[in-house]
Amino acid sequence: MPTSAADDRRPAGTALGHFERRVLSAVGCGLRDDEIAAALALPEDAVAGHLARILAQLGLRDRAAAIVHAFDCGLVAPGRGPRIRAADPVPPAAAGPEAGPRLRISLLGPLRATRQGQALDLGHLRQQAVLAALALGAGRILSRDELLGDVWGMEPPTANVVPVYVYRLRKALRDGPGPVIEHARHGYRLVADAVEVDVARLEELVADIGRADRAGEPAETVRLCDQALALFRGDVLAGLPGPLAELERLRLGERRTAVVQRRLEAQLRLGRVTEAVAELFTLCTAHPLNEQLAAMLMRALYRAGRQADALTVFERARRRLADDLGVAPSRMLRRTRQMIVRGDEAADPAPPRRGVERGGHRRHGRP
């Protein structure tokens, strides 16, 4: 991308004085005029004048072009901040006795980053969406193009804003001498050992839930499911823009429903029928096409002595499947109804052993 009308690629040092280079470096790091004024001990109105002279001297169109030029000429390294001034080292003693990462990023709700319980300022929503993409990458290197696609989709910005956002995020998240966001040759990644992400913890618990369920330990399954569900703080990635956030809202929302479903299955195995019925009614209302939830509610009602209500659930599910999808109830749902009609409690079919990563409704097709 050209940085000026003349495509001037000269090093900044050959065209600017020392002070102008400092101003251009600060602009390249994405600092606002008031932040530049504070950093360089200037009146704020003087910053605009210095920037205007820099743009004229280098033949640059605007501030966005100045940001790109600062990277092109080496005044700012992507993800590493200004080269003209080293960051003050943080003494090891400042880390304190606490082991493990002190920085936590929460995605299972509105995006939040905390250090030792204190919330951090993550900037505007697009910048937050970049952090969310890095956190969801689970330590994988994400290229600039990947981040642009994840956050902006088919309408990427004209300016090279990704390095600017990464610099601001590194500044906001900095915790000790090492970076929280690493700049690799082909992109950026979150340093796994420097931060704790709630989605990663959710995946660990999901694996533990599967092991407990396969081992026939319903009480342990309920305990682990409760831990997993406690991680959710509301709507996942609430308010964040971009295709990735939209997809993750759907995926993690389905994951939450599947964990609730696994918890209810374990409760039914433990004989906790009454407490399961109310929650199953709520879930079936929210997910009317989920046949596994409908079958679970039918079994729970049958065990509670409510045979007629259980059959009503089947009829409601049958009509909804026919009206919305044009399909008949699955074999599993029909077998559950037959068990209830016969009054054959011994024939109560065990719920299908689905992983918590899979849902319980069909999108199309007949059984």
Side-chain angles (χ1 to χ4, degrees):
M1 176 188 296
T3 59
S4 71
D7 194 22
D8 186 357
R9 299 288 184 175
R10 294 173 297 170
T14 64
L16 301 176
H18 175 72
F19 190 80
E20 286 77 12
R21 290 176 68 243
R22 294 182 65 189
V23 173
L24 180 59
S25 175
V27 171
C29 291
L31 301 184
R32 303 186 305 269
D33 283 1
D34 59 327
E35 294 172 326
I36 297 173
L40 302 182
L42 287 172
E44 186 173 341
D45 56 359
V47 174
H50 283 293
L51 179 57
R53 286 191 291 274
I54 291 170
L55 295 178
Q57 191 168 353
L58 296 178
L60 302 175
R61 293 186 302 273
D62 51 26
R63 193 186 195 98
I67 291 174
V68 175
H69 188 86
F71 284 94
D72 287 347
C73 70
L75 275 178
V76 180
R80 297 186 182 277
R83 290 180 175 174
I84 57 174
R85 182 177 59 197
D88 295 332
V90 178
E98 182 181 352
R102 296 182 298 171
L103 179 64
R104 289 178 170 82
I105 296 178
S106 302
L107 306 171
L108 300 174
L111 178 65
R112 184 175 67 183
T114 58
R115 183 186 300 120
Q116 295 180 318
Q118 298 297 315
L120 305 178
D121 182 3
L122 301 177
H124 56 77
L125 288 179
R126 291 284 184 189
Q127 185 168 299
Q128 292 182 35
V130 170
L131 176 60
L134 292 169
L136 289 164
R140 183 172 65 88
I141 295 174
L142 299 179
S143 69
R144 172 184 172 275
D145 288 342
E146 284 181 283
L147 289 170
L148 287 172
D150 287 343
V151 177
W152 284 271
M154 301 300 293
E155 299 181 356
T158 56
N160 187 19
V161 297
V162 170
V164 175
Y165 289 174
V166 169
Y167 171 76
R168 290 177 177 174
L169 288 169
R170 292 185 65 178
K171 186 176 179 182
L173 299 175
R174 185 174 180 82
D175 185 27
V180 174
I181 302 174
E182 277 187 336
H183 174 234
R185 180 179 179 183
H186 300 294
Y188 306 93
R189 68 179 171 192
L190 209 62
V191 180
D193 294 339
V195 62
E196 181 180 290
V197 181
D198 59 354
V199 172
R201 176 58 181 156
L202 175 64
E203 298 302 332
E204 293 173 358
L205 287 168
V206 162
D208 292 341
I209 290 166
R211 283 190 287 269
D213 187 61
R214 289 189 296 272
E217 300 175 349
E220 178 67 3
T221 299
V222 170
R223 187 185 70 83
L224 292 169
C225 286
D226 286 341
Q227 288 187 23
L229 295 172
L231 295 174
F232 288 86
R233 300 176 293 103
D235 293 336
V236 174
L237 299 171
L240 287 193
L244 179 65
E246 186 63 30
L247 288 173
E248 288 297 316
R249 272 190 284 271
L250 293 173
R251 183 183 73 87
L252 292 169
E254 290 182 356
R255 178 63 57 90
R256 182 183 186 279
T257 299
V259 172
V260 171
Q261 188 169 312
R262 182 61 63 85
R263 176 177 174 272
L264 290 167
E265 290 173 355
Q267 283 183 321
L268 290 176
R269 292 194 185 99
L270 291 169
R272 302 176 186 172
V273 177
T274 302
E275 58 187 295
V277 165
E279 191 165 1
L280 280 167
F281 264 121
T282 301
L283 282 173
C284 286
T285 301
H287 306 277
L289 301 178
N290 190 316
E291 295 178 77
Q292 187 171 345
L293 285 175
M296 289 173 62
L297 177 56
M298 290 168 65
R299 291 194 303 272
L301 289 169
Y302 174 73
R303 293 178 187 178
R306 299 168 61 180
Q307 183 182 35
D309 290 338
L311 295 175
T312 299
V313 170
F314 175 85
E315 288 302 320
R316 186 183 300 119
R318 181 188 62 78
R319 289 195 301 269
R320 190 64 183 264
L321 289 167
D323 293 344
D324 290 9
L325 301 181
V327 301
S330 66
R331 182 171 179 267
M332 176 266 298
L333 201 57
R334 295 197 308 269
R335 285 183 60 196
T336 303
R337 178 185 179 278
Q338 291 169 2
M339 177 272 294
I340 293 171
V341 170
R342 291 195 305 263
D344 185 5
E345 187 172 2
D348 182 1
R353 292 287 183 160
R354 296 179 182 269
V356 291
E357 69 279 2
R358 297 178 59 190
H361 61 80
R362 294 169 294 143
R363 298 186 185 275
H364 55 77
R366 294 183 181 272

